[in-house]
């Protein structure tokens, strides 16, 4: 008698059934207080989701593992996976890439998993307004997320600044996030040149400027003070 999960009749081959079973048991291994009942319940949910969304069930199981191992609660993980799968389809990428970007923002900014849909919408808005693709944004945003959150900058502000920078300078998402990360660090720990620019912009500290103007406003003000010099973004 087969020991495979009973839903294996939904697969085209026994190999896919075995691969899915192994992938879901890997998921079950990182779930707190997991039981065979937990395994079967999560497996059924992932299979149902993969059927509805038209995505590979084995890859979906791998993405679920990535989400839970990153810190998404088990209770919210399948709903999170559904949002990531939609983002992956819309962004012409794979579910794991979408999970990576969404978990990065959700966790770095201390958000609840229930806010994932808003994060996904904000990321696609940034893609729409800027010159970048969703996979590139997803892969690169982590470089600046923790710094932005520590400075009280919202993920919406960070995404908007990335979109503006890619649009106005032709930077890739990766280049934009590198420049923004450097700029944020330079504003908070200013060099002599940056300190002069802060004073010229009318602020005694970078923290005060960010609190008053936000990220995009601060960068615009500094660029005005520097007479349009782009070196402001590379002053860290």
């Amino acid at each position: 008698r087969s020991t495979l999960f009973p839903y294996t009749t939904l697969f085209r081959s026994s190999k896919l059934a075995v691969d899915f079973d192994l992938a879901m048991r890997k998921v079950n291994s990182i779930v707190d207080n997991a039981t065979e009942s937990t395994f079967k319940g999560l497996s059924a949910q992932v299979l149902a989701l993969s059927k509805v969304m038209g995505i590979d069930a084995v890859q979906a199981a791998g993405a679920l593992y990535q989400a839970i191992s990153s810190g998404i609660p088990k209770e919210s993980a399948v709903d999170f996976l559904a949002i990531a799968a939609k983002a992956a389809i819309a962004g012409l990428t794979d579910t794991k890439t979408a999970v990576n970007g969404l978990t990065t923002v959700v966790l770095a900014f201390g958000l609840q998993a229930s806010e994932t849909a808003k994060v996904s919408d904000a990321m696609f808005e940034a893609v729409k307004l800027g010159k970048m693709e969703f996979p590139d944004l997803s892969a690169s945003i982590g470089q600046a997320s923790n710094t932005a959150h520590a400075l009280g900058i919202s993920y919406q502000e960070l995404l908007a600044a990335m979109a503006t920078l890619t649009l106005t300078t032709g930077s890739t998402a990766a280049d934009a996030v590198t420049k923004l990360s450097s700029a944020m660090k330079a504003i908070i720990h200013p060099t002599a040149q940056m300190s002069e620019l802060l004073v010229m912009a009318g602020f005694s500290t970078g923290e005060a400027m960010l609190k008053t103007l936000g990220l995009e406003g601060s960068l615009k003000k500094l660029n005005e003070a520097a007479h349009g010099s782009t070196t402001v973004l590379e002053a860290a």
Side-chain angles (χ1 to χ4, degrees):
R1 181 180 177 179
S2 173
T3 59
L4 292 178
F5 182 68
Y7 288 87
T8 53
T9 54
L10 296 175
F11 290 99
R12 296 187 300 273
S13 71
S14 59
K15 181 182 185 306
L16 289 176
V18 170
D19 289 345
F20 179 74
D21 188 84
L22 290 174
M24 287 307 303
R25 291 199 180 279
K26 184 178 179 182
V27 171
N28 211 45
S29 71
I30 61 171
V31 173
D32 291 337
N33 303 314
T35 63
E36 187 67 13
S37 177
T38 305
F39 163 73
K40 290 181 178 179
L42 284 174
S43 296
Q45 291 181 69
V46 172
L47 279 175
L49 176 64
S50 67
K51 183 177 180 181
V52 170
M53 300 294 296
I55 59 177
D56 184 275
V58 178
Q59 291 181 11
L64 182 66
Y65 176 89
Q66 181 184 6
I68 294 175
S69 64
S70 295
I72 300 300
K74 177 200 73 175
E75 296 74 17
S76 307
V78 176
D79 288 339
F80 179 94
L81 180 63
I83 295 169
K86 291 178 183 178
I89 293 169
L92 302 177
T93 188
D94 59 273
T95 307
K96 277 192 173 183
T97 297
V99 166
N100 178 53
L102 292 171
T103 53
T104 293
V105 175
V106 168
L107 298 175
F109 287 89
L111 306 175
Q112 298 296 315
S114 58
E115 298 176 79
T116 304
K118 291 182 180 179
V119 173
S120 179
D121 289 344
M123 291 176 72
F124 275 106
E125 184 66 15
V127 168
K128 178 182 177 181
L129 296 176
K131 287 185 177 180
M132 55 186 169
E133 300 296 331
F134 185 84
D136 301 322
L137 171 59
S138 186
S140 60
I141 192 170
Q143 184 179 342
S145 293
N146 288 325
T147 301
H149 180 55
L151 296 178
I153 296 167
S154 68
Y155 70 87
Q156 294 96 330
E157 287 182 278
L158 177 60
L159 287 167
M162 287 182 67
T164 297
L165 198 56
T166 60
L167 186 64
T168 58
T169 68
S171 299
T172 64
D175 288 340
V177 82
T178 296
K179 290 176 180 178
L180 288 171
S181 181
S182 295
M184 287 187 288
K185 292 174 183 177
I187 291 170
I188 299 304
H189 302 290
T191 60
Q193 179 188 12
M194 180 62 79
S195 294
E196 291 179 6
L197 289 176
L198 286 170
V199 172
M200 291 171 63
F203 294 92
S204 58
T205 66
E207 289 91 337
M209 183 172 64
L210 286 169
K211 185 176 181 180
T212 303
L213 302 178
L215 180 57
E216 277 200 273
S218 296
L219 295 177
K220 181 179 179 181
K221 195 73 173 178
L222 286 171
N223 275 318
E224 290 173 355
H227 304 291
S229 172
T230 59
T231 57
V232 169
L233 296 177
E234 301 163 359

